[in-house]
């Protein structure tokens, strides 16, 4: 079960990363270009929100079925924080990615309240870009690309 959830989490992450990059680039290009907000932009932002929430749910399940979770009882929080690999997988990656999903959710919610195109696109661009930078900072690249 662990391997299946790990594979799902890893492959779904590609989808999250691709759609988040598309959403960020789309919002920035349209914002800088002075273009109008359209139904396509709404769908891209919504799809980003949906896939990121699904990834979060998969990640929560993975967190608790992972053999790494037992490290907490073996080493305690102090031991986990002293080991860079365990700290990444058990503390940094989950906390930062929860913040990523929160930023996407806040950006999506705030953009819906704006009445004109420029503020809608700017809100998506700001919140989704910050989320993308945070997401890229906490991906375990050595495990993900191998």
């Amino acid at each position: 079960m662990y391997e299946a959830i790990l594979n799902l989490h890893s492959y779904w992450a590609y989808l999250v990363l691709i759609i988040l990059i598309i959403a960020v680039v789309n919002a920035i290009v349209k914002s800088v270009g002075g273009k109008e907000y359209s139904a396509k932009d709404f769908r891209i932002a919504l799809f980003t929100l949906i896939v990121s929430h699904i990834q979060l749910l998969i990640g929560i399940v993975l967190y608790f079925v992972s053999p790494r979770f037992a490290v907490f009882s073996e080493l305690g929080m102090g031991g986990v924080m002293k080991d860079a690999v365990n700290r990444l997988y058990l503390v940094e990656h989950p906390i930062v990615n929860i913040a990523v999903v929160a930023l996407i959710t806040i950006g999506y919610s705030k953009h819906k309240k704006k009445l004109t195109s420029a503020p809608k696109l700017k809100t998506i661009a700001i919140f989704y870009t910050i989320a993308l930078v945070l997401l890229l900072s906490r991906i375990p690249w050595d495990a993900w690309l191998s």
Side-chain angles (χ1 to χ4, degrees), residues 25-139:
V25 170
N26 179 62
I28 291 172
V29 167
K30 283 192 135 184
S31 187
V32 169
K35 297 186 178 174
E36 291 296 312
Y37 180 83
S38 66
K40 182 185 111 186
D41 303 316
F42 177 78
R43 281 189 224 106
I44 290 171
L46 178 60
F47 191 60
T48 305
L49 178 79
I50 292 168
V51 297
S52 65
H53 278 86
I54 292 170
Q55 177 72 344
L56 176 64
L57 293 174
I58 296 167
I60 289 170
V61 171
L62 178 64
Y63 188 80
F64 290 108
V65 300
S66 171
R68 289 186 186 274
F69 190 66
V71 172
F72 272 124
S73 60
E74 294 170 14
L75 301 177
M77 186 55 123
V80 169
M81 294 304 283
K82 289 177 187 172
D83 180 22
V85 174
N86 283 325
R87 185 177 60 239
L88 173 65
Y89 283 103
L90 294 171
V91 180
E92 295 171 357
H93 180 75
I95 290 174
V96 169
N97 287 322
I98 289 169
V100 165
V101 174
L103 284 166
I104 291 170
T105 304
I106 292 166
Y108 180 80
S109 297
K110 284 186 166 289
H111 106 278
K112 288 192 324 181
K113 296 176 183 171
K114 307 294 182 189
L115 300 176
T116 58
S117 291
K120 282 181 177 284
L121 292 167
K122 184 178 177 183
T123 301
I124 291 173
I126 290 170
F127 279 90
Y128 283 30
T129 300
I130 295 169
L132 178 61
V133 169
L134 286 174
L135 178 71
L136 291 172
S137 76
R138 289 299 108 201
I139 291 176

Side-chain angles (χ1 to χ4, degrees), residues 11 14 140-146:
Y11 288 113
Y14 287 109
W141 292 105
D142 56 334
W144 204 42
L145 297 176
S146 59

